[in-house]
Amino acid sequence: AQIGVKGGNGARLKNLIVPLTGFLFNSIRGTDTICALQTPDTITASQPKGGNGIYSYQWEQSIDKSTWVNAVGTAALRYFVPAPLNQTTYFRRVVNSISAVNDEPINDISRSIEVFVYPAIANNNITGTDTICYHADASALTGSSASLTGGNNFYRFEWQYSSNEVTWSATGTESSFDPAELDNTTHYRRIVHSTAYCSDTTEAITITVLPTIQNNQFSNESISICENGSPGRLQIAEPAGGDGIYTFQWQYREFPGSWINIASSGDSVQYTIGNLTDTTAFRRTVFSGNDRACMNTSDSIMIIIRPLISNNYIEGSSVKYTCYNSGIQISGSNPQEGFGPGTYNFGWESSADNI
């Protein structure tokens, strides 16, 4: 500083300290905008000057700039980190010291700053948990939109998918989403954005993809039996795939005709056929997964009915004579029906009393 003397030359003085009875530089910075329950950015403050150089401070907050209370958060002289907020809040700093002139207490209140808080997004729900079979079309995932609240009431959507619920990729920007055909179990979630500050992510829902049902085939394509006979138990493999839990529906079909369900066959891996009089086809449908997500119908097996053997008699008189200890030739007719020529086997029987 330079001190001037009227009528004389001025003198230059260094390190002149001018006592301040008030405060300078009690200013704060940090106006912010957040969404409810987020933590605002740090509010910074200047180094106070004035008083005796020894300062105490108190950070205060208010929701109406009228009633002030001690601020909640992490405080220091030159900064303040507010706790998460759920409504718009104002902050200020009060600095106290002792006057260097008269030793009287002095204080200064900074201007207030506003942290504007948008309400949190609520009612962000999705439905669509499903179980499907490999390469099947999954049901659409439905997300609420009309019931959304929070933010500034304008929303945009972001759907994400993941195979492990760790790494997520974007897909879809509408309120609902159709996954279409899937080959692997996939998790989905929806993020709703409003303003640059508010977002909300749903819990993930899962579309479980089961492997296709396999091994649903008969050992033979057809079996031939005689009329009024039974082929017994049909030989068909144990199924595989799905979720490992199976229910069954056996069906039969006569010709001409359509497929008819066989009652009480839901837990029957195998099926035993009773006596048949007409050629009949059989097949097995296997179900697995929630709501029968996987289904596989076997090729049919044909049970071919042959007519009973006919024209089976001994030729000539019903009583034939021969001398004691002499042979006699008995001739039989050529049989018909059954499985036809070349398939007959013969067995002759004798009896002393015809009983």
Side-chain angles (χ1 to χ4, degrees):
Q2 182 170 329
I3 305 297
V5 179
K6 186 176 181 180
N9 294 326
R12 186 179 298 274
L13 301 176
K14 295 181 180 180
N15 302 320
L16 177 64
I17 297 176
V18 179
L20 298 175
T21 59
F23 286 94
L24 298 176
F25 307 115
N26 181 20
S27 62
I28 61 175
R29 298 177 300 279
T31 300
D32 198 4
T33 300
I34 62 171
C35 207
L37 300 181
Q38 293 178 347
T39 300
D41 291 338
T42 299
I43 301 171
T44 59
S46 63
Q47 175 64 40
K49 293 189 177 182
N52 63 359
I54 300 173
Y55 309 105
S56 62
Y57 61 91
Q58 178 62 57
W59 289 87
E60 296 180 333
Q61 66 184 58
S62 172
I63 59 173
D64 58 9
K65 299 181 73 174
S66 176
T67 301
W68 294 87
V69 297
N70 291 343
V72 179
T74 302
L77 176 63
R78 297 197 59 184
Y79 69 86
F80 181 74
V81 182
L85 301 175
N86 59 14
Q87 59 184 322
T88 296
T89 305
Y90 304 91
F91 293 90
R92 69 185 186 183
R93 183 181 68 171
V94 179
V95 178
N96 303 287
S97 187
I98 300 297
S99 171
V101 175
N102 56 19
D103 293 331
E104 292 292 328
I106 54 176
N107 63 70
D108 186 78
I109 300 174
S110 71
R111 69 177 181 89
S112 63
I113 64 167
E114 178 189 62
V115 177
F116 184 85
V117 179
Y118 281 105
I121 294 172
N123 301 325
N124 179 24
N125 304 305
I126 58 174
T127 58
T129 299
D130 199 5
T131 299
I132 62 173
C133 218
Y134 174 83
H135 207 61
D137 192 354
S139 299
L141 307 178
T142 302
S144 62
S145 58
S147 60
L148 285 171
T149 61
N152 64 353
N153 296 319
F154 293 94
Y155 306 103
R156 59 185 178 88
F157 305 95
E158 177 187 358
W159 286 87
Q160 295 181 330
Y161 70 95
S162 173
S163 61
N164 56 15
E165 294 191 83
V166 176
T167 302
W168 293 89
S169 301
T171 178
T173 56
E174 302 297 327
S175 60
S176 296
F177 177 72
D178 188 352
E181 295 176 348
L182 294 176
D183 294 344
N184 299 288
T185 294
T186 307
H187 312 280
Y188 291 90
R189 66 185 185 185
R190 185 182 75 170
I191 304 173
V192 177
H193 302 275
S194 182
T195 75
Y197 310 100
C198 294
S199 64
D200 182 80
T201 303
T202 65
E203 294 291 332
I205 63 173
T206 300
I207 297 179
T208 302
V209 179
L210 301 175
T212 54
I213 294 173
Q214 301 178 11
N215 296 346
N216 187 27
Q217 64 266 348
F218 292 99
S219 300
N220 302 300
E221 293 182 359
S222 64
I223 299 175
S224 295
I225 62 172
C226 271
E227 183 180 352
N228 288 324
S230 169
R233 175 171 290 185
L234 298 177
Q235 299 300 309
I236 190 168
E238 292 274 354
D243 64 0
I245 301 173
Y246 308 103
T247 57
F248 307 90
Q249 179 62 67
W250 286 86
Q251 295 178 311
Y252 73 93
R253 179 186 180 191
E254 296 176 342
F255 298 89
S258 57
W259 289 102
I260 299 174
N261 290 339
I262 299 173
S264 304
S265 62
D267 58 353
S268 302
V269 179
Q270 310 288 341
Y271 182 69
T272 300
I273 301 175
N275 293 339
L276 298 175
T277 58
D278 296 299
T279 294
T280 307
F282 291 85
R283 68 183 185 183
R284 182 182 74 176
T285 300
V286 181
F287 303 97
S288 186
N290 292 340
D291 300 321
R292 293 183 165 185
C294 291
M295 182 185 77
N296 180 273
T297 300
S298 69
D299 291 333
S300 62
I301 183 172
M302 188 74 68
I303 310 302
I304 300 171
I305 302 301
R306 298 290 185 178
L308 296 175
I309 295 173
S310 63
N311 202 45
N312 180 27
Y313 60 89
I314 296 174
E315 295 176 331
S317 174
S318 60
V319 178
K320 298 185 183 296
Y321 298 94
T322 185
C323 290
Y324 174 77
N325 206 26
S326 298
I328 186 173
Q329 181 173 337
I330 302 174
S331 299
S333 64
N334 290 321
Q336 298 176 358
E337 305 297 351
F339 285 74
T343 65
Y344 302 116
N345 293 310
F346 303 94
W348 290 84
E349 297 177 336
S350 64
S351 172
D353 55 12
N354 201 26
I355 296 176

